[in-house]
Amino acid sequence: MKTNLITRAGWHKLDDELKYLWKVERPAVTQSVSEAAALGDRSENAEYIYGKKRLREIDRRIRFLMKRLEALQIVDYSPQQDGKVFFGAYVELENDSGDIVWYRIVGTDEIDTKNNHITINSPMARALIGKQVDDEVQVQTPSGLKEWYINKIQYTPFE
């Protein structure tokens, strides 16, 4: 299920992508397609064919972003959240082996596994929501039940 929640930074990132596609990428591709079309035979003109294909991809992404940005609900940080895990939180976890990991809980449009941003719909995020520092969290994973302890919760990036 795709949630409509997003952090303000995530919303701005999607909005910036939309503006870039609309104001920079699309005009540049349109110009190159026009120039390729002026060369004559379009049936064997690779630049023209590729340009038209790229234009369709850009238009599809623009339509998606416009609809998605309208549907999204920005969730801003509130001081009332301090001390508990909610949407947008950075959470540091430790297991019995002493392994330390951290995650940020975000919307489905912001998932970034390289930066440990997990969706609010993930089993880990669902287990963390509402918990406090020193709470124990059990998460069912494909390799079995895992236990984690919450070391730190904050709403700004860890340094």
Side-chain angles (χ1 to χ4, degrees), residues 3 5-7 10 86-90 103-113 116-122 125 129:
T3 64
L5 303 178
I6 194 166
T7 63
F86 291 106
F87 187 85
Y90 292 85
Y103 296 104
R104 181 168 194 213
I105 301 172
V106 295
T108 55
D109 297 279
E110 301 174 272
I111 297 171
D112 182 356
T113 54
N116 295 343
H117 292 189
I118 60 173
T119 176
I120 185 111
N121 299 324
S122 69
I129 294 294

Side-chain angles (χ1 to χ4, degrees), residues 20-32:
Y20 173 78
L21 288 172
W22 186 250
K23 294 181 178 176
V24 177
E25 181 95 6
R26 191 175 194 288
V29 173
T30 302
Q31 178 65 33
S32 68

Side-chain angles (χ1 to χ4, degrees), residues 93-147:
L93 304 167
E94 184 174 356
N95 65 11
D96 289 331
S97 306
D99 298 329
I100 294 178
V101 297
W102 69 270
Y103 296 104
R104 181 168 194 213
I105 301 172
V106 295
T108 55
D109 297 279
E110 301 174 272
I111 297 171
D112 182 356
T113 54
K114 203 177 348 175
N115 290 315
N116 295 343
H117 292 189
I118 60 173
T119 176
I120 185 111
N121 299 324
S122 69
M124 176 64 86
R126 287 196 311 259
L128 289 169
I129 294 294
K131 301 287 194 236
Q132 302 177 55
V133 172
D134 295 329
D135 281 356
E136 181 180 306
V137 177
Q138 294 183 339
V139 180
Q140 186 65 44
T141 68
S143 60
L145 191 65
K146 304 278 184 180
E147 288 187 4

Side-chain angles (χ1 to χ4, degrees), residues 4-74:
N4 288 333
L5 303 178
I6 194 166
T7 63
R8 186 163 298 279
W11 191 91
H12 284 298
K13 187 175 177 182
L14 292 179
D15 188 51
D16 289 346
E17 180 186 355
L18 174 62
K19 287 175 183 169
Y20 173 78
L21 288 172
W22 186 250
K23 294 181 178 176
V24 177
E25 181 95 6
R26 191 175 194 288
V29 173
T30 302
Q31 178 65 33
S32 68
V33 167
S34 295
E35 290 169 3
L39 296 176
D41 186 16
R42 296 177 185 175
S43 64
E44 294 182 14
N45 186 334
E47 286 182 43
Y48 177 81
I49 294 168
Y50 172 76
K52 291 295 281 186
K53 180 178 183 244
R54 179 68 185 130
L55 209 49
R56 285 191 300 273
E57 291 168 356
I58 291 169
D59 287 345
R60 187 172 23 255
R61 182 68 178 164
I62 287 172
R63 279 191 306 276
F64 169 80
L65 288 171
M66 289 174 72
K67 287 181 182 178
R68 192 68 185 138
L69 285 168
E70 279 182 16
L72 290 170
Q73 177 185 352
I74 298 172

